[in-house]
Amino acid sequence: LPVNRAALVVGGGIAGMTCALSIANQGHEVYLLEKDTDLGGTARRIHYTLDGMDVQAYLHDLVRKVYQHPSIHVYTDAIITEATGYVGNFTTKVTSERGVTEIKHGAAVIAVGAGEYKPTEYLYGEDDRVLTQLELEERITRGEERLINSRSLVMIQCVGCRQADRDYCARVCCSNAIKNALNLKEKNSEMDITILFRDIRAYGFAEDYYREASDNDVKFIRYEPDDKPQVEAVVAEGRPVLRITLPDYILGRKLAIDADYLA
């Protein structure tokens, strides 16, 4: 950035706030735009990392630093209505809780983060026992007894991705599943947890937690994209369960797993 020229940062998640602080600490004015009412993005729904870090404590400290920094101007409920100009000399019009603002800046950083995929598969939205990993983490953090005291839980990985309409790997899902599985095992060691996966991608030292989960009797079963798990709500021995069926390529036979919850 040219000296005394401002920067526009779009996205008030952890990446956007970290970027804003870095630029502001180098002596530039920063305009931080966030579409929601509060800063934090998806991190507001994450409570702990794989290695046990308190995400909410870190997030609250980061938000405090952003709001207290004299060179950072925060706009929440922000919508960009117009963007004009050229390299080093942009003008962006924004509607926010402050009203309509015209911001002149020399550079822009797009840090809009990621969104949680809401499945249409596997009875999600039809059965309250089917959760996303973020929803599962929130219930674990709240100490929901019905969940923590349940007998069994199955996780299905790569739902809605690594296929034709969404052909990438999000890279965070495997470690997030392992994190939640370990947390549940710590609270209820008798819970039967099975993770159905296509490829386990536990990068770097996350491999240690994958091994720890296996050592704690978390079961890992691989499936192929052309023969995905099937889910149905049934009653087994008088107990309502979610029955997940899939082929086990090692055993060479079909498996049926009855679960109290599905993530």
Side-chain angles (χ1 to χ4, degrees), residues 8-17 19-20 32-34 108-114:
L8 184 77
V9 177
V10 182
I14 284 181
M17 288 189 287
C19 178
L32 178 62
L33 310 184
E34 169 55 45
V109 178
I110 310 301
V112 293

Side-chain angles (χ1 to χ4, degrees), residues 122-123 127-131 136 139 144-155 184 188 190-194 231-244 256-263:
Y122 303 126
L123 303 181
D127 193 307
D128 65 1
R129 296 169 295 178
V130 183
L131 313 168
L136 176 64
R139 294 195 187 194
E144 186 176 290
E145 291 187 10
R146 179 187 166 197
L147 169 67
I148 292 171
N149 295 328
S150 62
R151 295 188 205 174
S152 58
L153 177 142
V154 169
M155 301 177 180
L184 282 169
N188 179 3
E190 299 301 313
M191 185 184 293
D192 186 14
I193 300 177
T194 304
V231 178
E232 59 180 337
V234 301
V235 176
E237 299 179 356
R239 171 174 158 241
V241 294
L242 296 163
R243 178 162 291 168
I244 300 96
I257 307 169
D258 289 345
D260 295 308
Y261 283 91
L262 173 65

